[in-house]
Amino acid sequence: MVCTEALEKMYLYLDQEVLSEDERLEIEAHLNACPFCFQRYEFESSLWSLIRKTSLEAPLPESLFTRIEMFIAGF
């Protein structure tokens, strides 16, 4: 796996979504072998953790739910 492919799939890997077992293993092998991609993964992983933590602490305003529902209804 090359860096561009690993970086493209990294978000799926972080979110534990839509990857086959082979793809997951390929990404893990690449991250173990490539310091650049591993550093990027560490940054993104930390950022996602921070976002998850802070989003659980602050409730979303009701108006946001209404706008999201209206947006979805438009599809």
Side-chain angles (χ1 to χ4, degrees), residues 36-64:
F36 172 78
C37 288
F38 183 75
Q39 183 179 20
R40 178 75 182 263
Y41 167 77
E42 286 287 299
F43 172 80
E44 295 293 340
S45 179
S46 296
L47 180 61
W48 283 38
S49 293
L50 179 63
I51 290 170
R52 279 188 204 107
K53 180 183 175 218
T54 57
S55 67
L56 294 175
E57 293 173 358
L60 296 175
E62 184 63 35
S63 62
L64 178 59

Side-chain angles (χ1 to χ4, degrees), residues 7 10 12-13 22 32 37 40 44 54 57 67 74-75:
L7 292 174
M10 183 183 347
L12 295 173
Y13 180 78
D22 289 340
N32 287 326
C37 288
R40 178 75 182 263
E44 295 293 340
T54 57
E57 293 173 358
R67 288 189 303 186
F75 281 99

Side-chain angles (χ1 to χ4, degrees), residues 1-15 17-19 23 27 30-31 36-37 40-41 44 48:
M1 176 174 285
V2 295
C3 293
T4 54
E5 186 179 2
L7 292 174
E8 287 173 4
K9 294 182 178 183
M10 183 183 347
Y11 297 102
L12 295 173
Y13 180 78
L14 281 166
D15 225 11
E17 291 185 21
V18 193
L19 292 175
E23 288 174 311
I27 290 173
H30 184 82
L31 292 174
F36 172 78
C37 288
R40 178 75 182 263
Y41 167 77
E44 295 293 340
W48 283 38

